[in-house]
């Protein structure tokens, strides 16, 4: 297996460099709408490398590992198709892409705490992010050294005291060097000469390439430590389900009556809350006193919906925590006592009611004031929370793997969300409201934030705006930024001069949108007409 370890260690260098240069710090990597295929390429190369390494050791792929490999690839494909979504979805794209990669390795190596996805997923995450890779951070260097020298690889552990000593040594040595450099010019010249040497190397191969290479060294060591370290555990997870159960067995002594007290208390509070809500809605319907024109003021609607969302999130987390603690501490668990099972089901039912109530609030807000990416993400979160609650209720009455089901559903739904062109869907919805007369004007801020990309949906949104006459009467800089990454030309095919479009006289600019040509004509700096031409004909206003 030395050959396999050496090959994997050597391949980790270019793979880590590719990740550092083109995924982590790739140009535009943190910009919404930036499309790149590097995330998809890295996912495919990463999965291929791990699969080959595992196969050499005779490890067969499981259904779960294949599932998470597909999810990782789908997330990379989403970045290629639509680019990074707007906040807050972009942050979750970046985070879950990396977490999926880590979890895929753990699943493929068979070192999950329960041998599969379970409620111990947080312990698995801790092992995958910290325990395994940092314990094996020097494994790549050891594998290369063992192959070169022909000596067996030493499997010594890196203790926390050793790490602290190394960090202290680096800090103390750096401080001493700086002080002595200030005290003696000849000594300072050594550092200057070493810096010049590094600068010459950087200029020779390119400063950016040199920096990426240096950064890829710890990245590759961490990545190889996770992959090879997980593989060499031979299926023995750092913390197993049996060990966790044995270590926590002494905590499961709470009587069912004691566990039921906080659950019953929450049910009473929730009952009073829903009675109050019902009285408020019924009172408005009977009295007919609502808001003028049945249209709630924007600040009130916003507060009503947003507060409702965070209210549900906090309440649902509270409910799940109470149920988990009760199931963990109670003798025999929730299913071992009928009364406890009943009140727990009531608590889960209230959670579902909160989800439905909050969905109604969010629907009202969107119906009145249109779509945004944040509202779309909020709707997705509500759907997920409702699914979690329903799974928790079902788990109370029947034994099945509810937590893995929640993880799998979340992974699939998030991948689908990323693959949907959310920004263009938001624009299409708002433009549709404008065309139908629901809104006097589409929200310009949302239009600009989402933009129009070079996709089929982007072409459809462009046609709708052109047909509605939305472009007319607007200045050039109120229009041009709307089409993301567009290349604008004048009537002669030269790069457009936007200052000429702003000035007096006539000027026209054009750009391509999914194979069609959008043309904007300006008179004295104001758009007077717009049309879009394709093989099917011309849409003109």
């Amino acid at each position: 297996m030395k050959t396999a370890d050496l090959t994997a260690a050597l391949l980790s260098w270019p793979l880590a460099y590719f990740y550092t240069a083109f995924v982590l710090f790739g140009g535009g990597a943190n910009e919404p709408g930036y499309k790149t295929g590097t995330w998809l390429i890295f996912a495919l190369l990463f999965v291929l490398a791990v699969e080959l390494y595992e196969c050499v050791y005779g490890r067969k792929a499981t259904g779960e590992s294949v599932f998470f490999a597909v999810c990782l690839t789908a997330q990379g494909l989403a970045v290629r198709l639509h680019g990074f979504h707007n906040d807050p979805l972009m942050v979750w794209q970046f985070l879950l892409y990396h977490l999926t990669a880590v979890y895929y390795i753990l699943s493929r190596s068979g070192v999950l705490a329960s041998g599969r996805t379970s409620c111990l997923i947080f312990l698995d995450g801790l092992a995958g992010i910290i325990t395994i890779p940092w314990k094996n951070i020097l494994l790549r260097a050891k594998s290369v050294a063992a192959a070169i020298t022909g000596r067996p690889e030493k499997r010594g552990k890196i203790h926390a005291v050793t790490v602290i000593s190394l960090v202290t040594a680096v800090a103390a040595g750096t401080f001493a060097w700086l002080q002595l450099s200030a005290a003696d010019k000849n000594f300072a010249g050594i550092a200057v000469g070493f810096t010049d040497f590094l600068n010459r190397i950087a200029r020779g191969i390119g400063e950016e390439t040199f920096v990426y290479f240096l950064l890829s060294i710890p990245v590759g060591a961490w990545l190889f430590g996770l992959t090879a370290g997980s593989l060499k555990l031979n299926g023995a997870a750092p913390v197993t389900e049996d060990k966790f159960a044995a270590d926590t067995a002494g905590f499961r002594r709470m009587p069912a009556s004691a566990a039921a007290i906080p659950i019953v208390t929450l049910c009473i509070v929730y009952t009073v809350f829903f009675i109050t809500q019902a009285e408020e809605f019924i009172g408005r319907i009977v009295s007919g006193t609502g808001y003028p024109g049945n249209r709630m003021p924007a600040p009130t609607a916003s507060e009503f919906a947003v507060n409702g969302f965070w209210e549900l999130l906090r309440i649902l987390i509270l409910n799940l925590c109470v149920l988990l603690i009760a199931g963990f501490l109670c003798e025999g668990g929730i299913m071992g006592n009928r009364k406890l099972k009943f009140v727990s089901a009531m608590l889960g039912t209230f959670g579902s009611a909160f989800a439905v109530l909050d969905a109604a609030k969010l629907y009202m807000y969107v119906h009145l004031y249109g779509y945004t990416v944040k509202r779309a993400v909020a709707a997705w979160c509500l759907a997920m929370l409702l699914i979690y609650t329903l799974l928790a209720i079902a788990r109370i009455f029947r034994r099945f793997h509810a937590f893995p089901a929640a993880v799998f559903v979340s992974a699939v739904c998030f991948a689908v969300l990323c693959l949907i062109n959310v920004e263009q869907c938001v624009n299409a919805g708002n433009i549709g409201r404008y065309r139908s007369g629901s809104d006097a004007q589409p929200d310009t801020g949302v239009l600009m934030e989402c933009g129009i990309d070079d996709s089929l949906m982007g072409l459809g949104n462009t046609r709708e705006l052109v047909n509605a006459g939305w472009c007319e009467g607007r200045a050039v800089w109120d229009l041009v930024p709307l089409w993301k990454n567009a290349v604008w030309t004048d009537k002669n095919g030269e790069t457009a001069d936007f200052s000429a479009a702003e000035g007096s006289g006539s000027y026209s600019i054009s750009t391509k949108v999914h194979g069609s040509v959008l043309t904007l004509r300006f008179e004295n700096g104001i758009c007077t007409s717009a049309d879009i031409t394709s093989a099917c004909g011309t849409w003109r206003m």
Side-chain angles (χ1 to χ4, degrees):
M1 299 299 177
K2 280 186 179 180
T3 304
D5 293 339
L6 177 61
T7 303
L10 294 178
L11 287 178
S12 69
W13 288 81
L15 190 62
Y17 178 82
F18 181 87
Y19 168 79
T20 304
F22 300 105
V23 175
L24 188 60
F25 295 110
N30 297 319
E31 298 178 9
Y34 178 76
K35 297 180 182 180
T36 175
T38 56
W39 287 59
L40 175 60
I41 294 172
F42 176 77
L44 293 174
L45 292 176
F46 177 74
V47 170
L48 177 62
V50 172
E51 288 296 327
L52 290 176
Y53 196 22
E54 296 280 349
C55 288
V56 169
Y57 275 84
R59 300 273 182 168
K60 294 183 179 180
T62 63
E64 281 194 14
S65 65
V66 173
F67 172 81
F68 287 109
V70 172
C71 288
L72 178 65
T73 305
Q75 292 177 39
L77 178 62
V79 178
R80 174 63 186 89
L81 294 176
H82 310 305
F84 296 94
H85 294 289
N86 292 3
D87 283 332
L89 189 52
M90 183 178 70
V91 176
W92 286 105
Q93 273 186 283
F94 182 88
L95 180 63
L96 290 179
Y97 179 87
H98 292 82
L99 291 180
T100 303
V102 171
Y103 199 76
Y104 159 68
I105 291 179
L106 298 178
S107 177
R108 184 64 180 85
S109 301
V111 292
L112 297 176
S114 299
R116 54 173 176 75
T117 301
S118 68
C119 58
L120 301 180
I121 190 172
F122 301 106
L123 292 179
D124 293 328
L126 185 65
I129 296 172
I130 299 176
T131 308
I132 296 176
W134 288 107
K135 274 189 174 182
N136 297 279
I137 194 68
L138 299 179
L139 186 56
R140 182 170 67 170
K142 291 180 180 180
S143 298
V144 174
I148 294 175
T149 61
R151 296 178 180 178
E153 178 185 320
K154 295 182 179 180
R155 298 290 296 163
K157 294 183 178 179
I158 300 177
H159 297 283
V161 176
T162 305
V163 176
I164 295 173
S165 297
L166 290 173
V167 172
T168 304
V170 171
T174 303
F175 178 79
W177 188 284
L178 293 175
Q179 297 304 311
L180 293 174
S181 296
D184 185 83
K185 293 183 178 179
N186 293 327
F187 187 80
I190 299 175
V192 173
F194 181 70
T195 303
D196 291 340
F197 173 72
L198 292 179
N199 286 334
R200 286 195 296 272
I201 295 177
R203 285 193 295 269
I205 64 175
E207 293 184 3
E208 193 173 76
T209 302
F210 184 65
V211 171
Y212 288 154
F213 173 75
L214 292 179
L215 292 175
S216 70
I217 295 175
V219 170
W222 186 93
L223 191 60
F224 185 81
L226 172 61
T227 307
S230 299
L231 185 59
K232 292 181 183 299
L233 287 173
N234 294 319
V239 178
T240 63
E241 184 179 21
D242 293 338
K243 186 177 185 303
F244 179 80
D247 292 342
T248 58
F251 294 98
R252 301 187 183 93
R253 298 178 179 177
M254 179 184 289
S257 57
I261 293 175
I263 297 177
V264 172
T265 302
L266 288 176
C267 289
I268 294 173
V269 173
Y270 296 160
T271 301
V272 174
F273 171 81
F274 278 105
I275 290 175
T276 305
Q277 289 282 300
E279 288 179 348
E280 180 182 352
F281 281 114
I282 293 173
R284 285 183 182 176
I285 293 173
V286 173
S287 62
T289 59
Y291 294 97
N294 293 325
R295 189 175 176 89
M296 185 182 292
T300 305
S302 176
E303 182 180 0
F304 185 60
V306 174
N307 286 351
F309 174 72
W310 292 111
E311 157 199 287
L312 170 65
L313 183 61
R314 290 190 290 267
I315 289 296
L316 186 57
I317 291 174
L318 175 63
N319 290 353
L320 293 176
C321 287
V322 169
L323 290 176
L324 285 173
I325 292 173
F328 179 72
L329 298 179
C330 183
E331 290 181 319
I334 293 177
M335 297 186 70
N337 186 282
R338 288 187 177 181
K339 294 181 179 179
L340 184 58
K341 184 189 296 186
F342 174 76
V343 295
S344 298
M346 287 294 296
L347 186 63
T349 304
F350 275 116
S352 301
F354 274 109
V356 174
L357 173 63
D358 204 50
K361 291 181 177 183
L362 186 60
Y363 170 78
M364 179 186 66
Y365 188 33
V366 171
H367 178 70
L368 293 176
Y369 301 103
Y371 305 91
T372 66
V373 173
K374 289 183 178 179
R375 292 167 201 166
V377 174
W380 181 88
C381 291
L382 281 173
M384 292 297 99
L385 294 175
L386 179 58
I387 291 173
Y388 300 157
T389 304
L390 294 176
L391 286 173
I393 295 174
R395 179 62 181 82
I396 292 173
F397 293 99
R398 185 174 180 179
R399 294 186 182 277
F400 71 101
H401 299 309
F403 201 94
V407 173
F408 297 148
V409 170
S410 301
V412 171
C413 291
F414 182 77
V416 171
L417 178 66
C418 292
L419 288 169
I420 294 174
N421 199 338
V422 178
E423 287 75 17
Q424 297 312 305
C425 289
V426 167
N427 274 345
N430 289 330
I431 294 171
R433 290 168 56 89
Y434 167 57
R435 293 276 285 168
S436 66
S438 299
D439 294 329
Q441 286 289 335
D443 190 324
T444 306
V446 176
L447 277 178
M448 290 297 179
E449 179 184 353
C450 294
I452 294 179
D453 62 11
D454 187 25
S455 66
L456 184 61
M457 287 196 68
L459 175 60
N461 289 336
T462 301
R463 288 175 178 172
E464 289 296 313
L465 289 175
V466 168
N467 290 339
W470 181 83
C471 300
E472 293 180 346
R474 298 181 183 274
V476 61
W477 291 115
D478 292 334
L479 296 173
V480 169
L482 179 58
W483 284 270
K484 290 183 176 181
N485 304 316
V487 178
W488 294 90
T489 59
D490 60 18
K491 61 182 180 180
N492 298 319
E494 302 292 335
T495 301
D497 181 5
F498 297 119
S499 60
E502 292 179 287
S504 58
S506 302
Y507 195 78
S508 64
I509 58 176
S510 302
T511 189
K512 288 187 177 181
V513 182
H514 199 67
S516 298
V517 179
L518 169 67
T519 302
L520 303 177
R521 299 177 180 84
F522 295 88
E523 292 285 346
N524 299 322
I526 301 299
C527 182
T528 56
S529 67
D531 62 59
I532 183 164
T533 306
S534 68
C536 298
T538 301
W539 286 264
R540 184 185 301 277
M541 291 300 298

